[in-house]
Amino acid sequence: MSDDARLERVEPAELDLVTADALAEVLSASDVQAGLSLPPRVGGAVLAARRLQFDGRPVDGVWLAWRGERLVGHVDLTLPHQENTSDAQVRGHVHPDVRRRGIGRSLLDVATDVAREAGRTRLYAGAFVPGDGPAALESWGFQVTPGRYAVRRVSLHDVPPGRWEGLVEEAATSAGDYELLRMVGPTPGDRLEEMATLHESINDAPSNDVDEEPARFDAARVRAYDEAMSGRRQTTYRVVARHRTSGDWVGLSLLCVDEFSPTLGIQEDTSVVRAHRGHRLGLLMKAEMLRWISADRPEVDAIDTFNAVTNHHMIAVNERLGARVVAELSGYRRDLAATRPRARARLTGPGGRAEG
């Protein structure tokens, strides 16, 4: 344990906005150090993400590192509860100006102990490349996985007039049997099952994570996702492709705008039901999304999307849209069964009492 830092475990529901603002500053400084061109983090978004994640459940553990009254680091622990229930996931940062003092290792150790006590056998983490993360994770016994993702960015404003309209027209020549619908916010109750089918259709897309069990969607899971995003003040935009003859919903492109920081949108799923592939619906839906957001949300400057490096089809679509690579993320894994517990660092609660 670092000589000049103390660790504190907090429940997500008890994380206050002042602390979340301090955590946002650590995250923003880490983004800058990693060379990521991202808007500054906002405490409200940091707070809501840890309380709600993507399904309304809080993260399973939050540990904060302090030097005096200054927050200098954190680690979050997530224990998947639907799929991949042998796994645990950690995400943490230490402020760049206090790194290499043992703080990150101490945070990792306490989260690892809890994951192991919960019966998890594999611990996953990720790090942007380049940056300090890969070297740190490898020194702590993590091994790089095949899970590698490229982050591509599409500028919405620095494009010729009519760019998105032209791409919509181009793709539509192969999609005469389909029409597009726009949806803002939560899915209507009578459409949840259809939306679940669209979300699940992404599961056979090329992926780097060969050991990962795919997410299984039903109406309840879609509802939980929509409610969580609303609670996080993330506005969801969906472009849905509908087959004219059958009326079936067969394609989806989903984008989120964080109202705490709306200059950068995040592209989530884009998927097409297998029987309806080959009609350029992916390009059609994504180009329509960019046309829509450009007109209705002029404050959104750009859209970021994550692609597995093996997903060549979607990469080609994104490059057709003018996306360029701005970062790369690499996955890491540690086998908990092969590592022995370390001595637990001393934890202090809000009142200074030791917690085991």
Side-chain angles (χ1 to χ4, degrees), residues 9-343:
R9 183 172 184 175
V10 296
E11 295 300 324
E14 298 173 358
L15 188 63
D16 61 79
L17 188 56
V18 172
T19 305
D21 285 339
L23 180 51
E25 195 279 327
V26 172
L27 298 174
S28 296
S30 297
D31 289 342
V32 172
Q33 192 279 335
L36 303 177
S37 177
L38 295 172
R41 305 295 185 105
V42 177
V46 168
L47 184 67
R50 280 149 186 80
R51 289 181 176 176
L52 296 171
Q53 297 193 87
F54 293 97
D55 59 1
R57 290 168 55 94
V59 296
D60 295 283
V62 178
W63 290 264
L64 306 176
W66 301 85
R67 295 182 73 212
E69 298 302 313
R70 181 190 177 198
L71 179 64
V72 295
H74 82 104
V75 67
D76 302 335
L77 174 69
T78 299
L79 304 175
H81 66 100
Q82 291 181 282
E83 301 87 21
N84 305 293
T85 55
S86 294
D87 300 345
Q89 299 161 359
V90 288
R91 178 175 298 178
H93 301 81
V94 174
H95 196 286
D97 64 14
V98 294
R99 291 180 181 173
R100 299 178 179 84
R101 301 186 187 189
I103 298 172
R105 180 57 188 261
S106 296
L107 287 164
L108 175 65
D109 285 345
V110 293
T112 299
D113 284 347
V114 173
R116 185 182 285 109
E117 290 165 3
R120 305 305 168 108
T121 59
R122 298 185 298 190
L123 187 64
Y124 284 88
F128 283 100
V129 182
D132 290 349
L137 289 171
E138 290 169 16
S139 72
W140 296 333
F142 283 83
Q143 295 183 335
V144 67
T145 72
R148 192 163 181 115
Y149 294 82
V151 185
R152 287 177 168 80
R153 179 167 296 169
V154 180
S155 171
L156 296 188
H157 300 147
D158 187 23
V159 294
R163 167 72 170 168
W164 312 128
E165 291 79 1
L167 287 172
V168 168
E169 292 176 6
E170 174 189 323
T173 60
S174 301
D177 292 336
Y178 302 89
E179 61 183 348
L180 300 183
L181 308 175
R182 293 177 174 183
M183 297 175 55
V184 181
T187 305
D190 61 345
R191 296 293 192 179
L192 288 167
E193 291 289 353
E194 292 171 291
M195 190 63 71
T197 298
L198 297 183
H199 276 282
E200 192 160 300
S201 65
I202 201 171
N203 285 338
D204 59 0
S207 172
N208 298 318
D209 299 317
V210 295
D211 295 329
E212 182 180 14
E213 297 173 12
R216 298 302 178 189
F217 274 86
D218 57 15
R221 193 163 189 166
V222 175
R223 183 185 294 110
Y225 170 83
D226 284 348
E227 290 177 352
M229 300 310 279
S230 293
R232 290 172 56 179
R233 290 182 58 187
Q234 297 253 358
T235 302
T236 54
Y237 294 85
R238 289 179 170 100
V239 172
V240 175
R242 182 167 61 188
H243 187 232
R244 296 181 188 274
T245 302
S246 66
D248 293 341
W249 287 11
V250 300
L252 167 69
S253 186
L254 168 63
L255 184 141
C256 298
V257 175
D258 186 342
E259 302 302 343
F260 286 108
S261 184
T263 59
L264 180 67
I266 301 298
Q267 175 74 55
E268 299 286 349
D269 291 355
T270 297
S271 59
V272 177
V273 173
R274 179 177 291 276
H276 294 270
R277 294 174 186 170
H279 300 282
R280 306 190 76 185
L281 289 176
L283 178 62
L284 178 63
M285 292 187 296
K286 296 192 76 166
E288 173 66 11
M289 178 70 78
L290 297 180
R291 175 167 69 170
W292 180 16
I293 297 300
S294 295
D296 283 20
R297 298 298 304 265
E299 71 274 28
V300 179
D301 295 325
I303 305 296
D304 277 5
T305 182
F306 287 68
N307 294 124
V309 296
T310 55
N311 192 350
H312 303 297
H313 172 74
M314 192 53 65
I315 289 171
V317 169
N318 287 327
E319 291 181 345
R320 186 73 183 86
L321 294 167
R324 59 184 181 87
V325 175
V326 294
E328 290 190 2
L329 179 71
S330 187
Y332 287 84
R333 187 179 83 184
R334 195 170 86 178
D335 183 355
L336 297 185
T339 57
R340 295 192 298 177
R342 293 170 55 90

